[in-house]
Amino acid sequence: MPFATRDDVRIYWKLEGAAERPVLVLLNSIGTDMALWAMCLPHLLPAFRVLRIDTRGHGASDAPDGDYGMAMLAADVLAAMDAAGVALAAVAGVSLGGMIAMELALAAPERVTHLIPVCTSATMDPAAWAQRVETVRSDGIAAIVDMAMGRFLSPRFVADHPEQADSVRTGLLAMAAQGYAGAGTAIRDMALIDRLPTIAVPTLVVVGDRDVSTPFAGHGDRIVDAIPGAQVVHLDAAHLAPLEAPAPLAAAIRRFVQGDSATEQAADVLFEAGLTNRRRVLGDAWVDRSLANATSFNADFQAMITRIAWGEIWGRPGLDDRTRRLIVLAITCALGRWEEFALHVRAGLSQGGFTRDELKELLMQTAIYAGVPAANTGFAEAAKIIAEIEKEA
């Protein structure tokens, strides 16, 4: 694992993407780690080399005792950039990460090409944060986890994506209390708002219209007003926008940093259409896992099949989803593509896309036209999935 060491504290970083692309630094919120940005990576890696950093006290970075400060955290980012060989980058950060990004643009403007503060603030209630820090130091993170989760995610997202909400909660509870408290003191003591007018870096302020932690009124609007020439974009998301709106957030970042090209806009539209179809057919949980597991090696491929296979082919009006599911099963069985066969058997049976009797008849037909051995394996693979579904019920 790559680490940068500053003042005997190790800061974990991860660099992904093609070396010839411009670098985008991504910073996490308090209470999360670099995985916060995982859903955005398939949308960002085709355009950027991405450097993700676990803020001091979070993820795999060290979590020393004591108070932290924004200058300290910004210096950690510079140390990670140096360790990764990054001289210049656009910087985007969520919540605490956005505060660090603004501090970085103030302290080292020569290292920052674009500034993207996401769902963040330049002035928080010091008394409220002092109380939160005291609670965490005395009673642990469990004492504030319900409050924090209520401010992280919208009720709609939690209801639609309970597995992601559970992952965020688990990660928050697992982090070191001294790391959360230390980062909390940096928020408590930050002095950003009066210094923002000196920022000369092109700035895009991203706000979530469902964000109750740092809403636009009183937070985002003050950043926009303070930074000369700052632009603003609104997303249908709560505080953790990379989770609730990964594609729109990534599209906003790409347009701001690279320009508003017609080709990129068309690709974004096709991707969104394909993602809608993919979620409808395979379910949110599987699609979310697939996007989260994308790497710099396969991100372009994932984007391509989402645009073409799911956007163009599955979106055509000539056949309904049920017919297309059955066609896919027959072809994958005939070709022995068992991973894809299993995926569509599970999705179809779980979502009512077809019945077990219809699946049986499809395999009987396949035995005649593609061979008994293929159908025999198809029956065996399908039986395993049916047993798993029954066990889960």
Side-chain angles (χ1 to χ4, degrees):
M1 296 174 68
F3 290 92
T5 301
R6 199 182 73 79
D7 295 338
D8 296 323
V9 175
R10 298 180 310 155
I11 305 299
Y12 176 56
W13 56 270
K14 187 172 185 179
L15 184 63
E16 301 169 273
E20 69 273 10
R21 291 173 179 155
V23 177
L24 173 66
V25 172
L26 300 177
L27 305 176
N28 57 282
S29 73
I30 191 170
T32 68
D33 59 22
M34 66 171 64
L36 173 65
W37 288 95
M39 301 288 288
C40 292
L41 289 185
H43 312 281
L44 294 173
L45 285 171
F48 299 103
R49 196 174 200 198
V50 174
L51 175 62
R52 290 184 290 164
I53 302 169
D54 278 343
T55 299
R56 176 186 296 240
H58 296 70
S61 292
D62 288 344
D65 288 322
D67 292 0
Y68 305 170
M70 286 298 164
M72 171 194 292
L73 300 180
D76 289 344
V77 174
L78 288 176
M81 290 173 64
D82 290 341
V86 173
L88 199 63
V91 183
V94 180
S95 188
L96 170 64
M99 300 168 192
I100 298 169
M102 289 185 281
E103 180 68 40
L104 185 64
L106 288 163
E110 72 283 0
R111 304 289 298 272
V112 180
T113 63
H114 299 77
L115 172 64
I116 306 107
V118 180
C119 297
T120 190
S121 178
T123 173
M124 298 292 284
D125 181 354
W129 274 96
Q131 180 59 53
R132 192 185 302 194
V133 168
E134 182 180 341
T135 299
V136 169
R137 283 177 170 165
S138 62
D139 302 324
I141 292 177
I144 58 97
V145 67
D146 289 336
M147 177 273 296
M149 289 298 299
R151 297 170 72 83
F152 272 169
L153 301 169
S154 67
R156 182 187 66 179
F157 183 83
V158 173
D160 291 344
H161 304 275
E163 71 289 342
Q164 288 197 53
D166 287 344
S167 294
V168 173
R169 185 185 186 92
T170 299
L172 178 56
L173 287 169
M175 76 173 291
Q178 70 269 22
Y180 188 99
T185 63
I187 297 175
R188 178 196 67 194
D189 300 336
M190 71 171 166
L192 284 172
I193 190 66
D194 292 334
R195 299 158 59 211
L196 294 185
T198 65
I199 289 180
V201 175
T203 300
L204 175 69
V205 179
V206 180
V207 296
D209 287 339
R210 298 176 184 270
D211 185 1
V212 298
S213 184
T214 54
F216 182 65
H219 296 277
D221 59 346
R222 297 191 66 184
I223 299 174
V224 173
D225 291 342
I227 298 178
Q231 303 175 38
V232 63
V233 63
H234 291 256
L235 301 179
D236 183 16
H239 197 54
L240 299 187
L243 285 181
E244 295 208 14
L249 173 57
I253 292 172
R254 287 174 56 179
R255 283 194 293 269
F256 177 64
V257 176
Q258 296 191 323
D260 192 10
S261 77
T263 300
E264 288 174 357
Q265 277 193 315
D268 289 339
V269 170
L270 289 173
F271 187 95
E272 283 300 299
L275 199 60
T276 298
N277 293 335
R278 197 177 184 185
R279 289 186 182 282
R280 186 185 68 251
V281 173
L282 300 180
D284 287 336
W286 189 92
V287 173
D288 289 341
R289 285 195 301 272
S290 178
L291 292 175
N293 290 332
T295 67
S296 57
F297 180 67
N298 66 17
D300 288 354
F301 175 74
Q302 287 288 327
M304 182 270 288
I305 61 174
T306 300
R307 290 194 305 268
I308 306 304
W310 292 104
E312 179 66 21
I313 301 305
W314 280 88
R316 291 179 62 83
L319 297 173
D320 59 18
D321 285 348
R322 174 183 168 280
T323 304
R324 292 189 189 279
R325 288 181 192 270
L326 295 174
I327 291 172
V328 168
L329 288 175
I331 294 172
T332 53
C333 180
L335 295 176
R337 302 296 191 259
W338 300 116
E339 182 177 357
E340 196 77 6
F341 176 84
L343 168 64
H344 283 273
V345 168
R346 171 174 281 278
L349 291 177
S350 298
Q351 298 179 359
F354 47 79
T355 67
R356 294 185 188 183
D357 283 342
E358 288 171 329
L359 175 59
K360 177 181 70 177
E361 292 303 321
L362 178 141
L363 292 171
M364 295 288 287
Q365 191 86 1
T366 302
I368 301 303
Y369 288 92
V372 170
N376 186 51
T377 304
F379 270 108
E381 292 294 321
K384 287 190 289 188
I385 294 165
I386 289 170
E388 291 172 0
I389 293 173
E390 289 177 343
K391 187 176 180 179
E392 294 166 2

